[in-house]
């Protein structure tokens, strides 16, 4: 890791555990032992995962020959250093003081662990299965209408630090330096696919096009689709909401009655697609290093996005109900009643520049996607009206 002026203070942001001042009296291995011999909640607070999950990851990395004990630092401490940095957004100086190692030693083990996780990261990303997701099949709002939906796709801007000469392409529409990250996720908050490293100025549709055409590409099962928002086009494999129709549920005035099939479709589309907001929220809650630009080489910053998403999936697989995941369970998002009214979509988010859509779809394919959306909306509305009449 490169050092920066932040090293002078050691801490960036407010993610340092409260007990750090006490732990400064310990050396690194004593601190790690103290955490791992304590309550599992303490391991979650410091290393962002429960103890059994932590130990299993150590075993995986050691068993694959990706990490090994050194004369001074055991694998558990190497992993702890990495997780402590990304889980609390710390700089080298703070970690030096805690673990009692030089900046070069901290940097070397940070990068070793990052590369080890990257080496097995693909194993933690699983494509969608053939079954209807239970979040759809077990909810009458969504089934059978979205039975062919496998998840949701969205983009997130992650702050980035680059040299002055490189800043132009990375400056997004808000004037901030970022990388535009695309993610496809399931409704149970697992990442199917992540593409990081695109400049912040790149449009979301351009990044999606890249994901669909590269060697390691986003795979959409035949006859299935992902939900996307209005930043993307309604096209084969992806269903977006209706343009010019209220969408976001946050501003429903009380007592509002849905007017037509398009409003009902958009409302339920939003409730289901909200999985992307929850998974990004859970990811940043666990790994706040993604919330500010870390002073590492660009390649390292890109790796960190993929590695944190892979770790998110690993933890979700091993301990799906840990405290951080419970904060983002779907019940909160799905409490909105359909008697509430939708939010008006900002005009700026409704424009799709099809010049960025370079995938060679035949002319009838986008039309087919529109017909599919219309048929879902029509069936949904007919059932909705019938249920109202029966009340």
């Amino acid at each position: 890791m490169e050092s920066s002026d932040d090293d002078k203070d050691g801490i960036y942001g407010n993610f340092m555990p409260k007990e750090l001042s006490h732990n400064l009296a310990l050396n690194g291995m004593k601190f790690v032992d103290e955490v791992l011999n304590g309550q599992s909640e303490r391991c979650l607070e410091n290393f962002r995962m429960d103890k059994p999950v932590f130990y299993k990851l150590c075993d995986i990395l050691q068993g694959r020959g990706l990490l090994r004990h050194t004369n001074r630092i055991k694998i558990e401490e190497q992993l702890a250093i990495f997780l402590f940095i990304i889980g609390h957004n710390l700089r080298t100086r703070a970690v030096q003081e805690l673990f009692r190692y030089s900046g070069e030693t901290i940097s070397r083990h940070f990068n070793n662990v990052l590369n080890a996780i990257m080496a097995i990261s693909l194993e933690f990303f699983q494509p969608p299965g053939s079954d209807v997701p239970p979040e759809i099949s077990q909810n009458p709002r969504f089934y059978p209408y979205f039975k062919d939906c496998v998840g949701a796709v969205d983009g997130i801007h992650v702050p980035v630090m680059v040299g002055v000469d490189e800043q132009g392409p990375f400056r997004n529409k808000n004037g901030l330096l970022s990388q535009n990250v695309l993610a496809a996720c399931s409704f149970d908050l697992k990442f199917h696919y992540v593409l990081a490293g695109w400049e912040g100025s790149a449009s979301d549709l351009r990044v999606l096009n890249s994901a669909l055409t590269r060697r390691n590409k986003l795979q959409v099962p035949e006859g299935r689709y992902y939900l996307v928002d209005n930043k993307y086009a309604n096209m084969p494999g992806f269903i977006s909401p209706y343009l010019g129709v209220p969408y976001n549920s946050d501003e429903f005035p009380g007592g509002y009655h849905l007017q037509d099939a398009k409003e009902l479709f958009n409302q339920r589309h939003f409730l289901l697609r909200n999985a992307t907001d929850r998974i990004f929220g859970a990811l940043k809650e666990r790994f706040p290093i993604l919330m500010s630009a870390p002073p590492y080489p660009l390649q390292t910053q890109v790796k960190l996005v993929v590695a944190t998403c892979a770790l998110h999936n690993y933890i979700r697989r091993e301990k799906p109900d840990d405290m951080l995941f419970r904060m983002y369970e779907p019940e909160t998002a799905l409490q909105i009643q359909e008697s509430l009214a939708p939010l008006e979509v900002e005009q700026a988010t409704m424009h799709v520049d099809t010049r960025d859509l370079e995938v060679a779809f035949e002319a009838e394919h986008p039309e087919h996607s529109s017909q599919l959306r219309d048929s879902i909306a029509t069936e949904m509305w007919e059932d909705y009206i019938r249920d109202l009449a029966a009340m």
Side-chain angles (χ1 to χ4, degrees):
M1 296 182 298
E2 294 180 340
S3 63
S4 75
D5 290 339
D6 294 319
D7 286 340
K8 297 175 182 177
D9 298 322
I11 302 172
Y12 189 92
N14 298 310
F15 304 105
M16 177 67 78
K18 297 177 182 177
E19 62 181 335
L20 180 59
S21 57
H22 163 70
N23 289 325
L24 286 175
L26 307 173
N27 65 31
M29 197 61 236
K30 287 183 179 179
F31 166 60
V32 173
D33 286 342
E34 187 178 275
V35 171
L36 294 178
N37 289 327
Q39 295 294 322
S40 192
E41 291 79 8
R42 191 173 176 200
C43 187
L44 177 62
E45 178 188 356
N46 284 281
F47 305 146
R48 316 314 285 163
M49 59 184 73
D50 287 354
K51 283 195 293 185
V53 183
F54 178 90
Y55 278 123
K56 184 172 181 178
L57 183 57
C58 289
D59 290 341
I60 292 172
L61 296 173
Q62 182 178 24
R64 299 292 184 85
L66 298 169
L67 291 181
R68 61 180 180 83
H69 300 302
T70 69
N71 291 334
R72 297 179 60 201
I73 307 181
K74 295 168 62 176
I75 289 174
E76 290 82 1
E77 190 176 359
Q78 296 171 37
L79 181 60
I81 288 171
F82 176 79
L83 294 174
F84 203 72
I85 291 172
I86 68 172
H88 302 284
N89 198 19
L90 300 179
R91 296 299 182 252
T92 301
R93 180 62 57 82
V95 183
Q96 282 181 251
E97 293 175 356
L98 174 59
F99 287 88
R100 304 300 196 199
Y101 297 124
S102 68
E104 188 277 332
T105 298
I106 296 293
S107 176
R108 174 159 38 85
H109 287 292
F110 177 92
N111 284 291
N112 286 346
V113 175
L114 175 59
N115 289 330
I117 292 171
M118 288 297 295
I120 58 172
S121 61
L122 286 179
E123 299 176 21
F124 298 136
F125 294 98
Q126 298 297 321
S130 58
D131 296 335
V132 178
E135 295 80 9
I136 292 176
S137 63
Q138 298 173 16
N139 193 321
R141 287 185 176 186
F142 307 135
Y143 188 84
Y145 321 110
F146 294 109
K147 59 182 174 57
D148 295 322
C149 182
V150 296
V153 166
D154 204 355
I156 182 175
H157 283 263
V158 175
V160 72
M161 182 177 291
V162 293
V164 174
D165 294 341
E166 303 175 84
Q167 290 183 0
F170 285 94
R171 199 169 297 281
N172 61 35
K173 64 181 181 181
N174 295 320
L176 304 176
L177 298 176
S178 67
Q179 53 174 309
N180 192 347
V181 178
L182 178 138
C185 72
S186 64
F187 297 115
D188 64 344
L189 302 193
K190 293 178 183 175
F191 291 103
H192 288 160
Y193 179 91
V194 172
L195 176 59
W198 268 91
E199 299 92 337
S201 63
S203 73
D204 295 281
L205 195 56
R206 185 180 182 192
V207 180
L208 176 58
N209 176 69
S210 175
L212 293 171
T213 55
R214 64 201 297 116
R215 182 177 59 83
N216 179 27
K217 64 182 180 179
L218 170 61
Q219 301 276 2
V220 184
E222 184 69 27
R224 312 294 290 277
Y225 58 84
Y226 283 97
L227 298 183
V228 294
D229 67 12
N230 281 324
K231 298 191 298 289
Y232 304 94
N234 196 61
M235 61 188 189
F238 305 91
I239 291 188
S240 63
Y242 287 101
L243 293 174
V245 178
Y247 181 59
N248 191 320
S249 299
D250 291 340
E251 296 184 359
F252 285 155
Y256 181 87
H257 296 288
L258 296 167
Q259 300 299 309
D260 55 31
K262 291 183 177 180
E263 288 192 358
L264 179 62
F265 176 88
N266 272 16
Q267 187 186 71
R268 293 186 180 178
H269 182 289
F270 171 81
L271 290 174
L272 198 52
R273 194 198 59 79
N274 180 257
T276 59
D277 294 337
R278 294 189 292 115
I279 197 170
F280 287 141
L283 180 70
K284 292 186 291 184
E285 184 74 30
R286 191 179 301 273
F287 302 119
I289 196 168
L290 300 177
M291 297 172 65
S292 64
Y296 311 143
L298 178 59
Q299 184 180 14
T300 300
Q301 296 178 65
V302 174
K303 286 182 180 179
L304 275 171
V305 174
V306 178
T308 53
C309 291
L311 286 172
H312 168 103
N313 278 3
Y314 165 73
I315 300 167
R316 186 67 169 170
R317 183 186 75 188
E318 299 296 327
K319 183 69 172 177
D321 62 342
D322 81 5
M323 180 184 67
L324 296 178
F325 283 133
R326 289 200 301 270
M327 295 169 59
Y328 293 90
E329 286 305 313
E331 286 78 9
T332 303
L334 296 179
Q335 291 302 315
I336 305 169
Q337 297 297 317
E338 283 169 353
S339 59
L340 301 177
L343 163 89
E344 288 188 359
V345 180
E346 295 183 26
Q347 296 298 313
T349 67
M350 292 169 52
H351 174 68
V352 175
D353 189 351
T354 56
R355 291 176 298 178
D356 287 329
L357 186 59
E358 300 169 359
V359 181
F361 294 125
E362 296 181 9
E364 66 270 16
H365 287 173
E367 181 62 28
H368 173 74
S369 299
S370 295
Q371 292 173 357
L372 174 61
R373 181 175 61 183
D374 289 343
S375 66
I376 293 172
T378 299
E379 181 184 9
M380 189 184 294
W381 181 252
E382 289 175 350
D383 291 346
Y384 177 74
I385 294 299
R386 185 177 62 249
D387 292 343
L388 283 179
M391 291 177 63

